[in-house]
């Protein structure tokens, strides 16, 4: 975990300090590579989901409800045959969310979009680390191939000079043979390093098939001041733990929301009544509120436990 965070800090510093054309090309290719992966599609779907969830929290299940009834009442009286009358009623009711719950739901709605942003940034950052790891493998073997080839060329030149001394009678053949063997050894090593570099390049193209890679990776010049910044920089925990922190905050807010729900929301209504064929009418107002019971208390306890679990998981991530 610490190594990943250190690599992340180093990549961020190098990205911020990249000023040369070679460094700009590397990070341009990285952005193109990451954008070509499913990360972009996932981010778009995640934002749509979070926006829908946010709207659902803001609106809530608080809608107007219309109900009505009607009928014909017949009076069974032998003195009043065929006597009856119509009666009907209609009611409009709505449950109103208490202010504390409304504020908590608004906070949860904001957290939904923030968590979606954090997850997108985390997924993109993980993909960037994968790209940099594959790129580093390619660049490492390319550099080793170049070094091995240069050593082989230098050894070959020294072997020729030593052989010339042998031919002139001033050198030893064993020294010339040793230098030639060393040149052959480094030439073979250069070919092996070149093969590994090509394999590493193919791995990059296998993961990012639409990427237009150069023949060889551009060199990135890291100055001593850059190394000092990397070593002295504080590890950026926020990028790695932001999602966990926001999820812990959401769990705590949900626990507060569950505690607030111990006080049920009131329902108000208005209704019209008509009896005796319209001879008797009434305008009525109604009020109702559920009595808080064991289910609400259990829900509050569960939300509190979930909040403690989320906080523990966030702490474990930065342990």
């Amino acid at each position: 975990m610490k190594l990943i965070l250190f690599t992340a800090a180093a990549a961020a510093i190098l990205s911020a300090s990249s000023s040369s054309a070679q460094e700009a090309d590397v990070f341009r290719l990285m952005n193109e590579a990451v954008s070509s992966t499913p990360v972009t599609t996932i981010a778009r779907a995640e934002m749509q989901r979070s926006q829908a969830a946010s709207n659902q929290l803001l609106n809530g299940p608080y809608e107007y409800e219309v109900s009505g009834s009607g009928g014909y009442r017949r009076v069974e009286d032998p003195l009043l045959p065929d006597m009856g009358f119509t009666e009907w009623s209609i009611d409009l009711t709505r449950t109103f969310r208490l202010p504390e719950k409304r504020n908590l739901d608004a906070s949860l709605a904001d957290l939904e979009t923030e968590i979606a942003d954090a997850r997108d940034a985390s997924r993109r950052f993980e993909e960037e680390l994968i790209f940099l790891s594959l790129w580093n493998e390619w660049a490492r073997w390319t550099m080793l191939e170049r070094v091995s080839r240069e050593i082989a060329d230098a050894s070959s030149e020294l072997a020729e000079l030593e052989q010339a001394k042998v031919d002139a009678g001033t050198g030893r053949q064993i020294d010339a043979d040793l230098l030639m063997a060393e040149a052959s050894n480094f030439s073979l090593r250069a070919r092996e390093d070149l093969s590994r570099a090509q394999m590493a390049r193919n791995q990059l193209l296998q993961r990012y098939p639409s990427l237009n890679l150069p023949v060889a990776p551009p060199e990135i010049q890291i100055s001593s001041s850059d190394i000092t910044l990397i070593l002295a920089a504080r590890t950026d925990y926020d990028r790695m733990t932001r999602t966990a922190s926001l999820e812990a905050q959401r769990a705590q807010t949900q626990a507060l929301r569950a505690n607030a729900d111990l006080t049920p929301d009131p329902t108000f209504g208005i209704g019209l009544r008509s009896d005796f064929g319209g001879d008797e009418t009434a305008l009525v107002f109604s009020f109702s509120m559920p009595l808080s019971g064991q289910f609400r208390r259990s829900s509050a306890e569960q939300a509190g436990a979930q909040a403690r679990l989320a906080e523990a998981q966030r702490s474990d991530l930065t342990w």
Side-chain angles (χ1 to χ4, degrees):
M1 183 64 187
K2 300 296 184 183
L3 179 61
I4 295 176
L5 294 174
F6 177 81
T7 306
I13 291 174
L14 293 179
S15 177
S17 63
S18 60
S19 57
S20 67
Q22 291 84 357
E23 292 166 342
D25 285 341
V26 173
F27 290 101
R28 176 184 58 80
L29 288 170
M30 181 178 67
N31 289 330
E32 291 178 0
V34 173
S35 299
S36 67
T37 62
V39 168
T40 304
T41 306
I42 294 174
R44 189 181 303 113
E46 178 71 16
M47 287 305 300
Q48 293 174 351
R49 183 210 62 78
S50 66
Q51 190 60 51
S54 178
N55 292 335
Q56 185 181 36
L57 286 166
L58 288 173
N59 295 322
Y62 301 94
E63 300 176 344
Y64 287 98
E65 181 179 349
V66 178
S67 61
S69 63
Y72 178 81
R73 180 174 297 185
R74 181 176 178 180
V75 179
E76 297 291 344
D77 190 340
L79 300 178
L80 300 172
D82 300 329
M83 180 180 177
F85 55 87
T86 59
E87 59 182 12
W88 56 267
S89 66
I90 185 170
D91 295 278
L92 178 65
T93 59
R94 188 180 191 275
T95 301
F96 288 86
R97 181 166 36 181
L98 295 175
E100 181 185 5
K101 298 181 183 180
R102 184 184 301 109
N103 295 335
L104 290 172
D105 286 341
S107 298
L108 288 172
D110 293 338
L111 285 170
E112 280 292 333
T113 55
E114 291 182 23
I115 289 174
D117 288 337
R119 286 175 177 170
D120 176 38
S122 179
R123 278 191 292 264
R124 185 175 182 86
F125 183 63
E126 290 174 0
E127 190 63 39
E128 288 174 353
L129 287 180
I130 294 174
F131 174 87
L132 290 175
S133 176
L134 294 173
W135 181 278
N136 177 69
E137 191 72 5
W138 179 32
R140 183 169 72 93
W141 287 114
T142 300
M143 181 185 65
L144 290 175
E145 184 273 334
R146 182 169 58 252
V147 172
S148 298
R149 179 165 36 83
E150 291 174 354
I151 295 176
D153 294 341
S155 298
S156 180
E157 292 178 2
L158 290 175
E160 291 176 0
L161 292 174
E162 191 66 27
Q163 186 63 46
K165 290 171 61 178
V166 172
D167 295 341
T170 59
R172 298 189 306 169
Q173 185 63 46
I174 188 172
D175 293 334
D177 292 342
L178 287 174
L179 287 172
M180 185 58 67
E182 184 177 0
S184 299
N185 181 39
F186 277 101
S187 179
L188 176 62
R189 184 177 299 180
R191 289 193 295 270
E192 292 176 350
D193 293 342
L194 178 61
S195 176
R196 290 189 175 96
Q198 291 173 344
M199 290 176 59
R201 186 177 186 274
N202 291 336
Q203 287 180 341
L204 260 174
L205 290 175
Q206 185 177 3
R207 186 170 183 87
Y208 312 106
S210 63
L211 198 61
N212 185 18
L213 283 177
V215 177
E219 297 183 22
I220 299 179
Q221 300 297 331
I222 304 177
S223 64
S224 58
S225 59
D226 290 331
I227 296 176
T228 302
L229 285 174
I230 292 173
L231 295 176
R234 291 184 69 252
T235 306
D236 184 10
Y237 286 101
D238 182 66
R239 180 179 292 190
M240 300 293 293
T241 63
R242 182 168 177 251
T243 302
S245 298
L246 288 172
E247 288 178 344
Q249 184 178 350
R250 179 176 62 179
Q252 293 171 359
T253 307
Q254 288 173 337
L256 294 174
R257 180 63 171 82
N259 286 328
D261 207 36
L262 290 175
T263 303
D265 295 311
T267 300
F268 298 92
I270 184 173
L272 294 176
R273 304 284 187 271
S274 175
D275 291 320
F276 303 109
D279 291 339
E280 180 180 318
T281 59
L283 176 65
V284 298
F285 296 94
S286 62
F287 167 81
S288 64
M289 176 183 288
L291 298 177
S292 181
Q294 186 60 39
F295 176 78
R296 293 177 185 268
R297 288 190 291 272
S298 299
S299 298
E301 292 173 359
Q302 180 185 9
Q306 186 64 38
R308 292 189 294 273
L309 174 61
E311 179 60 27
Q313 291 173 338
R314 185 199 65 80
S315 300
D316 180 65
L317 189 61
T318 57
W319 179 255

